[in-house]
C-alpha cells in the first residue's frame, strides 16, 4: 500500500474503480463544493478536484479537496505545472499531505492562452513527468527536489497521471504512458473517450508494452449534455475525438440529456470489456447530478464502502454540529436542574402558603376573640390595654414567616449551582477531547468556552458561577515538566548553530570556541562533537594558510571582496598582476613590469606566465605583442627562444638569410628604407598544437592534386604546383613547391606609374634587358614577366617584329624563367608572340595570355615549341574550365597550362577573385575536376598600381603613398596566395620582399 | 540573430513628445539584417517622425546616423559627446544597444524605438521565427536539433503534451508542434530510445533565473 487511499484499496482489490470529477467554483462559495461532493458521495470511489482547469481562475484544488474530504468524499487532488514553480508545488504538496489528502494527479496543465488570464506568465518550471518524478522522490526518497532530506512526515501520495490516446503522434502515446509509469504514476486517467475503437488500439500497444500490469488505467468518459456541447468538443477541444455516431445519436434523440447518459453508459460498458482497463473516470462537467444514474445504469453500484476517508480538518459546519450537540446536552442538563429547583421552590412556596393559611386562621381567630372582647370591652374600657398587647404579638408572628421564605430560596440556588457545574465539567472534558482531535489551539478553546458562557448566561442567571467554574478548571498541559532540560538543549543547539555559521564564515577559532562551549553544557552532543572536529581541522588549515600567505599580505593584496574565496581572489590577483606587467613591458616601462611580475611570483611562485614575463623584463625586452603591417615600426629586439611571434628585422638580415637558404649567384643590393617582417616559423609539431582536439575533427584530406609545371630551363628553372592540399594546409597534405613571385616589367617606359614605384626602375625604363637584370641582381627576382604593352594597337602600337626583338633580347639576356605577356589584343598578341617564338629557338618561355579568341593559333605555336602557356579567362569557374578543355582538345597537355583567372586588386573585386579561385581549387582537389587541376598565375601588380589609392599623394589622412601602395600590393598578393595562387606577378620590390617573407613564414 | 520590430509610431511619438532635437540612431547588426533598425529603417522612421511632428504643429529637428554596432564600446565612442547635443537619442538597436548606450554614455538620453522580440531565423522574406531561447543549457543533441525550450508553448522536456493534433500545437493551428517534429526526426534516425528516457528537471539558473548573466574568458581579459 502506497498511501492507503480508498482509490488505491479499491484498485488493489481488483474491483472496477469509478472516479468522478468536481470542478471548484469561480468564487469563494463553500456550499458549491460541499453540495457537489454530496451529490457524488457514495457513487464514486474518489473525486478529481481540478486545478484551475482550462486555465480559468477557480478555488484551489487543495482547498476544494479538503471540503470534499470533510464531506467524506475522497479527493484526487490535481496539480499542474502552469501556475507554480517547484517551491510552490512542493509546499502545497506538504500541506495537502498534512491535511489528509492521499491521491495526487500530476499534470502539465492547459496553456494559459485558453483561460481568462491569457496575459499571465506560464511557469512550466517542469513538465508532468518531471513532476511525477519529483513527488515520487519526496515520497520514496524522502528528499526535496533539491536533494535536501525530508526529515519526517514525508508526503505519501498515490500518484496518477493523464494520457490522451487521441493526440498525435499516436504511436508515441503509449511510450509516454511508459515514461509516466517510470516516473512514478500508479494510475492513469485518460482523455474523454468517444472513439472506442481507437482507444482499443491504444490499449493493444499498452498491453504489448506490459504497462497494464504496472499501472491502473481508468478510461475517461463524459456524458454529452447536448448536440451543441458534443460539436463544441469536437471542434475546439484539442485532442478530443468525438465521433459522428455520437453526434447523430444526440441529434436523433427526443431527450438529448437522457441520450447523453445512455451514450456514456454504453461507452463504459464497451471499455470495461477491454483488457487492462481497471476503472472508469466519469467527468460530468457541471452535471454532477448525472453521475449516480450513470454509475447505476452501468451496473457499477453500489460502490464499496469508503475506507479510511477521514478528514483531519472538518468544515466549520461539522464543528458547528459538534458544538451545538454539546450545547444541547448542557442545556438539557441545566434545564433538568432548573426544573428540580423550580419544583423545590414550588414546594417552599406551598409551605409558605400553608403557614400563611395557618396564620390567617389564627388572625381570624384572634379577630373573633377581639370582637368578643370588644363586645365585652364596650363597657369595659380597662380591658382595652390588654387587647392592644395581644395585637402586637400577632405582628411578631408575621416577621417569622418572612425569614422562613428567605432560607428556602437560598437552598434552591445552591442546588442549581452544583448541578450546572457538573454539566459544565462534562462539557469541558468534551471540548478538551475535541481540541486534541482537531488540533484547536488554546486561544480557540478559550473562544469556545466564552461562547458557552454566553449561552449559559442567556439560558440561566448563574453567570457568575459559570465563569468561576471555568476559570478554576485545570487545563491539562503536557509540556509542563521539562522547561529546564529544554532550555539547556536549546542553548546547545544555539551554540552548535553559531559554531557552524562561524565555520562557514571561515572564523575557525570562533567556531572551536562555540563548539567547546556547547560540549561543556552537553558533553554527549554528537553534532557539537563533529562540529568541533571540523572546526579544529579548519583552524589548522587556516593557520597553515596564514603562514604561507604571510609575506604577501604586506605587499598589498587588496582585501578579498565578498562572495569570493581568498584562494580564488589570490588567483585572480596574480592574473591581473601578470597582465599589468605585460602591459607595462609593452609600454617599455621595465621597472614597473619587473615589480608587477615579482609581486605575482610572490603570491604564486610557480606561475609560468609571471616567470616568463619576469625573464623578459629582466633582459629588458619587449613583450611579444605582434604589430603587423607597419613597415616603419620601430626596430625591436628579438627573443629567439620565445614562442611568441618575432618582430621586425632589418633588411640586411633578410638578405643574409635569403643567401643562406637560396643559392643565388648575384647579391641583391639593399633596398633603401625597406623594413620587412619575418613571420615566425611554427616550431611546435602538429600534435603539440592541436591540444585536446582530435585530428580527425579538423583534418580533411584531399583526393586530387594540382599538376606540376616547369618554367625556364637549367639551374634557375622553377617548378610550380603539385599541391595535394589547400594552400598552406601543410598538416593535411603536401605542397612540394612554394609559390613564386615574378617581377613584372614592361617593354617600354610606363606612362602612368606613380613615382613611388617608378623611382626604383626609372634608370632602366628605356632598356628592358637592364630592367630585368636590375630586378634579378638588386631585388632577387626569381622570374620575370615581360609585358609587351608597347604593342597595344590602342597605345604605342609598336610593330610586332620590333617588339619581338626586344623580347628576344630580354629572354637571351637573363637566365631566370620568363613569362611573355601580350598586350591583351588577341590578334596582335598572336602575331607578336609567334614572332618571338620564331626568334628564340629552343628557349622555353611561357606565353600568354591565351583567350578564347586566340587559343587556336597560339595553342598551336605552344604545341610546336613545347612552351607553357597562360590561359586567361574572365573571372568564372566554368569559363576557366572551358578554356582548359578547348586547349586540351587542341592537343595541348594540361601540364603546359597556367591559369589566369583574371584577378582584381584589393578594393577592386578581390573578394570575387578569391571566391572563384577558391571554388576552382576545391573542385580540383576535392571533386577530382581534372580540367581544373592546373596552377594559377596572378598578374596582380599592374592591377594594384593602377588603382586610385596608389596614386593619391601622401597626406595626413591617407598616410604615406609608398607604404600604402606597397601594402596594397602585398595584401593583394597574400590574399591570392591563400586562394591558391602559385605564381604572383608583382612590381614593387618592397611588396615582393614582404610577400616573400610571408611565404617563407608559412611553409 | 536577434529579431526586433519597430514600436507603434504613436508610442514613439508619445515618447519624444517633449523632444526638439533628436538623433535617430540605427545599428548595422542584427536589427539591420531583420529589417528593423538599419540605415533604411532609420531614414523611414526619421521621415515619419518629422512628418508627424510637422502635422501636429510642433516641428522637430532630426539627425540620422547608423553605427556598425551599438553593442561594442568602440563604436559608441563618438556618441559620448555627440549624443549630448540632442534632447534624446532614439536607438533603433535591440535592447542591448539601448542599455549599452545608457551604461556607457552618461548624459545621453537614450530611448528605444524597437521592441526586441526573440532569437530567430529568417524563414522567408519578411518572416522570422523564434529558434532559440538562450536558456544557457543546450539539449539540441537530444532533440534532433529542434529546441523544445524555445519552440514548445510549455517548454516541455519529455515529449508532446495531450494537445498535439495533426502535428499542430494546441495553442494555435499555425504553430507546428515541435515535439511532433522531434518524435518524427528521432524515429527516422533510429534514435527513438531518446524519447523513452526521462529528461530530468531542468536547472534554470543558466537561463537567467540565477540572476543577470555574464560570460568571461579569462585568457582574453585585459
Amino acid at each position: 500500500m502506497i498511501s492507503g487511499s480508498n482509490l488505491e484499496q479499491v484498485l488493489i482489490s481488483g474491483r472496477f474503480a469509478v472516479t468522478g470529477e468536481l470542478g471548484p467554483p469561480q468564487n469563494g462559495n463553500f456550499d458549491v463544493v460541499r453540495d457537489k461532493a454530496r451529490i457524488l458521495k457514495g457513487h464514486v470511489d474518489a473525486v478529481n478536484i481540478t486545478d484551475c482547469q482550462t486555465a480559468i481562475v477557480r478555488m484551489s484544488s487543495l482547498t476544494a479537496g479538503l471540503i470534499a474530504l470533510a464531506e467524506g468524499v475522497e479527493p484526487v487532488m490535481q496539480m499542474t505545472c502552469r501556475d507554480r514553480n517547484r517551491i510552490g508545488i512542493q509546499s502545497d504538496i506538504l500541506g495537502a499531505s498534512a491535511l489528509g489528502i492521499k491521491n495526487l494527479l500530476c499534470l502539465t496543465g492547459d496553456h494559459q492562452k485558453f483561460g481568462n488570464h491569457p496575459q499571465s506568465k506560464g511557469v512550466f518550471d517542469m513538465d508532468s513527468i518531471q513532476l511525477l518524478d519529483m513527488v515520487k522522490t519526496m515520497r520514496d526518497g524522502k528528499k526535496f527536489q533539491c536533494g535536501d532530506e525530508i526529515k519526517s512526515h514525508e508526503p505519501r501520495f498515490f500518484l496518477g497521471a493523464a494520457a490522451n490516446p487521441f493526440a498525435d503522434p499516436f504511436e508515441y502515446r503509449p511510450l509516454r504512458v511508459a515514461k509516466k509509469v517510470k516516473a512514478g504514476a500508479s494510475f492513469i486517467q485518460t482523455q474523454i473517450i468517444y472513439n472506442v475503437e481507437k482507444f482499443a488500439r491504444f490499449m493493444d500497444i499498452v498491453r504489448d508494452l506490459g504497462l497494464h500490469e504496472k499501472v491502473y488505467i481508468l478510461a475517461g468518459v463524459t456524458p454529452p449534455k447536448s448536440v451543441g456541447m458534443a460539436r463544441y468538443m469536437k471542434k475546439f477541444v484539442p485532442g478530443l475525438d468525438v465521433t459522428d455516431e455520437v453526434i447523430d445519436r444526440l441529434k436523433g434523440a427526443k431527450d438529448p440529456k437522457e441520450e447523453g447518459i445512455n451514450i456514456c453508459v454504453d461507452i463504459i460498458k464497451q471499455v470495461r470489456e477491454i483488457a487492462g482497463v481497471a476503472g472508469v473516470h466519469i467527468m460530468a462537467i457541471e452535471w454532477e447530478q448525472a453521475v449516480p444514474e450513470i454509475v447505476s445504469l452501468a451496473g457499477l453500484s453500489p460502490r464499496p464502502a469508503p475506507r479510511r476517508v477521514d478528514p483531519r480538518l472538518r468544515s466549520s459546519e461539522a464543528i458547528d454540529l459538534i458544538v451545538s450537540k454539546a450545547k444541547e446536552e448542557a442545556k438539557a442538563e441545566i434545564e433538568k436542574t432548573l426544573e428540580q429547583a423550580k419544583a423545590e421552590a414550588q414546594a417552599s412556596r406551598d409551605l409558605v402558603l400553608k403557614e400563611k393559611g395557618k396564620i390567617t386562621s389564627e388572625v381570624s381567630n384572634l379577630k373573633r376573640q377581639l370582637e368578643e372582647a370588644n363586645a365585652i370591652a364596650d363597657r369595659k374600657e380597662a380591658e382595652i390595654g390588654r387587647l392592644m398587647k395581644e395585637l402586637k404579638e400577632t405582628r411578631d408572628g408575621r416577621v417569622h414567616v418572612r425569614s422562613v421564605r428567605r432560607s428556602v430560596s437560598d437552598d434552591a440556588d445552591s442546588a442549581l449551582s452544583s448541578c450546572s457545574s457538573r454539566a459544565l465539567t462534562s462539557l469541558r472534558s468534551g471540548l478538551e477531547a475535541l481540541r486534541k482531535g482537531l488540533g484547536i489551539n488554546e486561544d480557540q478553546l478559550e473562544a469556545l468556552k466564552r461562547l458557552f458562557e454566553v449561552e449559559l448566561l442567556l439560558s440561566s442567571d448563574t453567570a457568575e458561577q459559570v465563569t468561576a467554574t471555568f476559570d478554576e478548571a485545570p487545563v491539562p498541559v503536557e509540556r509542563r515538566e521539562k522547561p529546564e532540560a529544554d532550555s539547556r538543549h536549546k542553548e546547545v543547539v544555539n551554540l552548535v548553530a553559531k559554531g557552524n555559521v562561524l565555520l562557514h564564515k571561515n572564523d575557525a577559532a570562533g567556531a572551536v570556541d562555540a563548539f567547546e562551549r556547547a560540549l561543556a553544557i552537553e558533553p554527549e552532543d554528537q553534532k557539537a562533537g563533529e562540529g568541533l572536529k571540523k572546526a579544529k581541522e579548519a583552524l589548522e588549515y587556516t593557520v597553515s594558510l596564514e603562514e604561507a600567505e604571510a609575506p604577501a599580505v604586506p605587499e598589498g593584496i587588496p582585501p578579498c571582496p565578498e562572495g569570493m574565496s581568498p584562494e580564488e581572489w589570490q588567483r585572480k590577483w596574480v592574473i591581473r598582476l601578470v597582465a599589468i606587467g605585460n602591459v607595462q613591458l609593452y609600454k617599455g616601462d621595465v621597472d614597473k613590469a619587473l615589480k608587477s611580475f615579482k609581486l605575482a611570483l610572490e603570491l604564486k611562485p610557480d606561475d609560468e606566465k609571471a616567470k616568463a614575463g619576469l625573464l623578459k623584463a629582466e633582459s629588458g625586452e619587449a613583450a611579444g605583442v605582434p604589430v603587423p603591417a607597419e613597415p616603419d615600426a620601430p626596430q625591436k629586439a628579438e627573443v629567439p627562444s620565445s614562442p611568441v611571434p618575432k618582430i621586425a628585422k632589418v633588411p640586411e638580415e633578410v638578405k643574409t638569410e635569403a643567401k643562406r637558404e637560396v643559392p643565388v649567384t648575384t647579391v641583391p643590393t639593399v633596398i633603401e628604407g625597406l623594413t620587412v617582417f619575418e613571420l615566425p616559423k611554427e616550431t611546435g609539431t602538429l600534435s603539440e598544437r592541436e591540444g585536446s582536439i582530435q585530428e580527425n575533427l579538423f583534418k580533411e584530406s584531399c583526393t586530387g592534386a594540382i599538376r606540376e609545371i616547369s618554367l625556364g630551363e637549367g639551374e634557375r628553372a622553377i617548378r610550380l604546383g603539385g599541391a595535394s592540399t589547400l594552400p598552406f594546409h601543410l598538416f593535411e597534405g603536401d605542397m612540394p613547391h612554394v609559390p613564386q613571385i615574378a617581377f613584372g616589367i614592361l617593354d617600354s617606359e610606363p606612362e602612368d606609374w606613380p613615382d613611388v614605384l617608378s623611382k626604383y626602375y626609372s634608370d632602366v625604363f628605356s632598356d628592358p634587358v637592364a630592367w630585368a637584370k636590375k630586378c634579378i641582381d638588386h631585388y632577387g627576382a626569381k622570374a620575370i614577366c615581360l609585358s609587351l604593352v608597347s604593342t597595344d594597337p590602342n597605345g604605342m602600337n609598336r610593330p610586332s617584329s620590333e617588339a619581338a626583338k626586344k623580347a628576344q633580347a630580354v629572354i637571351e639576356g637573363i637566365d631566370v624563367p620568363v613569362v611573355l605577356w601580350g598586350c591583351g589584343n588577341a590578334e596582335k598578341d598572336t602575331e607578336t608572340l609567334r614572332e618571338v617564338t620564331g626568334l628564340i629557338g629552343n628557349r622555353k618561355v611561357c606565353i600568354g595570355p591565351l583567350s578564347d579568341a586566340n587559343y587556336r593559333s597560339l595553342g598551336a605555336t605552344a604545341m610546336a615549341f613545347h612552351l607553357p602557356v597562360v590561359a586567361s579567362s574572365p573571372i568564372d569557374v566554368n569559363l576557366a574550365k572551358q578554356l582548359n578543355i578547348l586547349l586540351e582538345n587542341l592537343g595541348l597537355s594540361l601540364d603546359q597550362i597556367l591559369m589566369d583567372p583574371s584577378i582584381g586588386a584589393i578594393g577592386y573585386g578581390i573578394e570575387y577573385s578569391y571566391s572563384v579561385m577558391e571554388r576552382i581549387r576545391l573542385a580540383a582537389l576535392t571533386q577530382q575536376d581534372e580540367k581544373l587541376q592546373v596552377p594559377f598565375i596572378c598578374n596582380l601588380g599592374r592591377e594594384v598600381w593602377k588603382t586610385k589609392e596608389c596614386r593619391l599623394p601622401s597626406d595626413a589622412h591617407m598616410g604615406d603613398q609608398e607604404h600604402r601602395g606597397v601594402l596594397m600590393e602585398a595584401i593583394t598578393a597574400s590574399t591570392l596566395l591563400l586562394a591558391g595562387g602559385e605564381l604572383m606577378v608583382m612590381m614593387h620590390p618592397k611588396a615582393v620582399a614582404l610577400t616573400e617573407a610571408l611565404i617563407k613564414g608559412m611553409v | 540573430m536577434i529579431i526586433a520590430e519597430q514600436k507603434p509610431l504613436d508610442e514613439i511619438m508619445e515618447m519624444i513628445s517633449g523632444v526638439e532635437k533628436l538623433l535617430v540612431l540605427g545599428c548595422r547588426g542584427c536589427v539591420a539584417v531583420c529589417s528593423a533598425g538599419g540605415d533604411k529603417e532609420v531614414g523611414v522612421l526619421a521621415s515619419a517622425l518629422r512628418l508627424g511632428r510637422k502635422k501636429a504643429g510642433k516641428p522637430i529637428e532630426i539627425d540620422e546616423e547608423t553605427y556598425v554596432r551599438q553593442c561594442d564600446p568602440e563604436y559608441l565612442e563618438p556618441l559620448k559627446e555627440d549624443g549630448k547635443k540632442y534632447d534624446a537619442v532614439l536607438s533603433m538597436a535591440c535592447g542591448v544597444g539601448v542599455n549599452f548606450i545608457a551604461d556607457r554614455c552618461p548624459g545621453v538620453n537614450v530611448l528605444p524605438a524597437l521592441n526586441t522580440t526573440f532569437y530567430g531565423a529568417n524563414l522567408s522574406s519578411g518572416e522570422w521565427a523564434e529558434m532559440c531561447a538562450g536558456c544557457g543549457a543546450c539539449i539540441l543533441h537530444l532533440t534532433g536539433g529542434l529546441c523544445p525550450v524555445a519552440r514548445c508553448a510549455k517548454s516541455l522536456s519529455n515529449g508532446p503534451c495531450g494537445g498535439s493534433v495533426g502535428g499542430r500545437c494546441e495553442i494555435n493551428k499555425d504553430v507546428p508542434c515541435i515535439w511532433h517534429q522531434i518524435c518524427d526526426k528521432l524515429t527516422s534516425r533510429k534514435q527513438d530510445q531518446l524519447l523513452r528516457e526521462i529528461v530530468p528537471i531542468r536547472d534554470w539558473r543558466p537561463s537567467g533565473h540565477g540572476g543577470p548573466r555574464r560570460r568571461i574568458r579569462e585568457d582574453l581579459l585585459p
Side-chain angles (χ1 to χ4, degrees), chain A residues 224-227 245-263:
Chain A
K225 225 174 175 177
S226 63
V227 195
E245 189 207 332
V246 168
I247 291 173
D248 290 344
R249 271 180 77 173
L250 286 167
K251 246 196 281 185
K254 272 187 196 164
D255 183 350
K257 279 196 173 183
E258 199 189 318
E259 188 61 23
I261 289 176
N262 289 336
I263 290 171

Side-chain angles (χ1 to χ4, degrees), chain A residues 709-992:
Chain A
I709 187 169
S710 272
L711 294 185
E713 310 120 294
E715 212 180 307
R716 303 208 62 176
I718 55 175
R719 280 185 78 72
L720 297 170
S724 58
T725 179
L726 288 170
F728 304 101
H729 283 218
L730 298 174
F731 55 96
E732 285 180 342
D734 200 17
M735 198 175 172
H737 307 298
V738 295
Q740 297 291 352
I741 301 171
F743 272 72
I745 65 170
L746 312 183
D747 67 344
S748 65
E749 189 167 339
E751 289 170 0
D752 49 0
W753 280 20
D755 276 350
V756 292
L757 175 60
S758 57
K759 71 179 179 191
Y760 292 94
Y761 306 109
S762 51
D763 53 335
V764 291
F765 275 161
S766 54
D767 180 3
V769 181
W771 191 345
K773 283 191 168 155
K774 182 170 189 187
C775 288
I776 296 164
D777 298 346
H778 286 216
Y779 306 134
K782 290 170 197 149
I784 296 292
C785 176
L786 175 63
S787 282
L788 306 171
V789 289
S790 65
T791 59
D792 189 352
N794 297 323
M796 277 171 74
N797 201 11
R798 185 180 280 169
S800 294
S801 53
E802 212 175 303
K805 273 183 198 144
K806 289 217 168 194
Q808 181 198 4
V810 173
I811 292 163
E812 286 170 354
I814 58 176
D815 53 359
V816 300
V818 177
V819 178
L820 276 186
W821 198 288
C823 65
N825 181 298
E827 271 178 50
K828 186 70 178 276
D829 285 351
T830 309
E831 199 183 321
T832 317
L833 292 172
R834 276 182 166 173
E835 195 87 33
V836 179
T837 51
L839 292 173
I840 57 171
N842 288 334
R843 289 297 301 268
K844 298 281 179 262
V845 295
C846 177
I847 55 169
L850 274 68
S851 67
D852 57 349
N854 62 2
Y855 77 91
R856 282 175 179 279
S857 42
L858 278 178
T861 311
M863 256 172 24
F865 294 95
H866 295 288
L867 298 180
V869 299
V870 174
S872 192
S873 56
I875 185 159
D876 184 274
V877 179
N878 290 322
L879 292 178
K881 185 174 174 181
Q882 178 68 19
L883 187 55
N884 288 353
I885 292 171
L886 291 173
L887 285 167
E888 206 183 18
N889 290 347
L890 199 64
L892 218 64
S893 161
L894 286 176
D895 294 329
Q896 279 174 272
I897 301 174
L898 278 171
M899 260 192 291
D900 166 27
S902 295
I903 52 92
I906 186 165
Y908 291 82
I910 198 163
E911 301 87 350
Y912 198 9
S913 307
Y914 184 94
S915 166
V916 168
M917 286 172 69
E918 185 183 46
R919 276 186 287 151
I920 290 175
R921 200 33 66 92
L922 284 171
L925 291 174
T926 64
Q927 293 156 24
Q928 291 95 43
D929 197 334
E930 290 177 9
K931 311 297 178 205
L932 291 172
Q933 291 172 341
V934 171
F936 286 120
I937 178 169
C938 301
N939 197 346
L940 64 105
R942 59 175 188 172
E943 301 294 331
V944 170
W945 288 102
K946 72 184 180 197
T947 63
K948 187 174 72 183
E949 285 76 10
C950 290
R951 290 153 189 273
L952 290 172
S954 301
D955 64 32
H957 182 62
M958 296 283 285
D960 181 71
Q961 187 187 0
E962 183 170 2
H963 283 164
R964 198 192 309 142
V966 166
L967 287 178
M968 280 191 64
E969 191 175 12
I971 290 169
T972 302
S974 57
T975 309
L976 297 171
L977 282 169
L978 293 176
E982 266 95 1
L983 182 59
M984 304 283 128
V985 180
M986 300 175 69
M987 287 164 173
H988 200 291
K990 286 188 188 176
V992 172

Side-chain angles (χ1 to χ4, degrees), chain A residues 86 109 113 125 164 168 176, chain B residues 154 158 162 164 166 171 202 204:
Chain A
R86 61 193 82 180
K113 186 235 171 200
D125 187 12
N164 185 355
D168 291 319
R176 190 163 165 84
Chain B
K154 299 176 189 169
N158 278 294
S164 169
I171 64 154
R202 280 181 84 82
W204 290 101

Side-chain angles (χ1 to χ4, degrees), chain A residues 148-268:
Chain A
D148 285 357
E149 190 193 349
I150 304 175
K151 291 195 176 117
S152 71
H153 295 78
E154 76 280 1
R156 298 203 66 79
F157 284 105
F158 187 50
L159 292 176
N164 185 355
F166 309 105
D168 291 319
F170 177 71
E171 298 72 25
Y172 175 69
R173 294 297 152 184
L175 294 182
R176 190 163 165 84
V177 172
K179 253 177 137 170
K180 289 189 173 184
V181 173
K182 201 164 143 196
S186 299
F187 70 97
I188 296 281
Q189 290 172 328
T190 75
Q191 173 66 292
I192 302 169
I193 299 164
Y194 288 114
N195 187 344
V196 179
E197 182 267 327
K198 192 167 187 181
F199 174 65
R201 274 194 285 138
F202 167 80
M203 286 302 296
D204 288 344
I205 310 178
V206 166
R207 284 195 306 276
D208 287 348
L209 293 171
L211 294 173
H212 63 303
E213 282 160 2
K214 294 181 188 161
V215 68
Y216 300 105
I217 292 173
L218 278 66
V221 292
T222 285
K225 225 174 175 177
S226 63
V227 195
M229 177 187 168
R231 284 201 180 123
Y232 177 85
M233 288 196 292
K234 186 183 174 81
K235 252 190 173 169
F236 297 110
V237 181
L240 224 174
D241 189 352
V242 183
T243 57
D244 292 337
E245 189 207 332
V246 168
I247 291 173
D248 290 344
R249 271 180 77 173
L250 286 167
K251 246 196 281 185
K254 272 187 196 164
D255 183 350
K257 279 196 173 183
E258 199 189 318
E259 188 61 23
I261 289 176
N262 289 336
I263 290 171
C264 187
V265 170
D266 288 349
I267 291 171
I268 293 176

Side-chain angles (χ1 to χ4, degrees), chain A residues 364-433:
Chain A
S364 62
N365 219 5
L366 285 171
K367 269 184 182 168
R368 210 171 54 237
Q369 282 176 7
L370 188 64
E371 276 164 17
E372 281 169 13
N374 269 348
I376 301 161
D378 274 344
R379 279 144 301 171
K380 286 186 183 174
E381 237 191 323
E383 271 185 332
I384 289 169
R386 193 178 54 90
L387 282 168
M388 286 293 280
K389 198 180 161 191
E390 274 177 309
L391 192 69
K392 199 183 166 198
E393 277 170 26
T394 314
R395 273 181 198 145
D396 287 350
R398 271 191 195 141
V399 169
H400 174 68
V401 167
R402 248 183 237 152
S403 78
V404 168
R405 261 174 83 180
R406 193 185 298 144
S407 83
V408 167
S409 104
D410 279 356
D411 282 358
D413 280 358
S414 69
L416 177 83
S417 75
S418 80
C419 283
S420 59
S421 86
R422 234 181 299 131
L424 284 165
T425 314
S426 79
L427 182 62
R428 203 178 53 233
S429 56
L431 274 175
E432 197 52 46

Side-chain angles (χ1 to χ4, degrees), chain A residues 86 108-109 111 113-114 124-127 129-130 145 164 167-169 172-173 175-176 179 182-183 238-239 571, chain B residues 153-154 156-166 170-171 180 183 195-202 204 218 222:
Chain A
R86 61 193 82 180
T108 301
H111 195 271
K113 186 235 171 200
F114 295 104
F124 300 113
D125 187 12
M126 63 191 89
D127 60 24
I129 291 171
Q130 293 160 341
Q145 191 276 320
N164 185 355
D168 291 319
Y172 175 69
R173 294 297 152 184
L175 294 182
R176 190 163 165 84
K179 253 177 137 170
K182 201 164 143 196
R571 196 164 53 79
Chain B
K154 299 176 189 169
L156 298 184
S157 302
N158 278 294
C161 73
S164 169
V165 178
E170 65 173 19
I171 64 154
H180 192 121
C183 285
L195 293 171
R196 294 164 197 255
E197 282 159 16
I198 294 176
V199 176
I201 190 165
R202 280 181 84 82
W204 290 101
E218 220 141 54

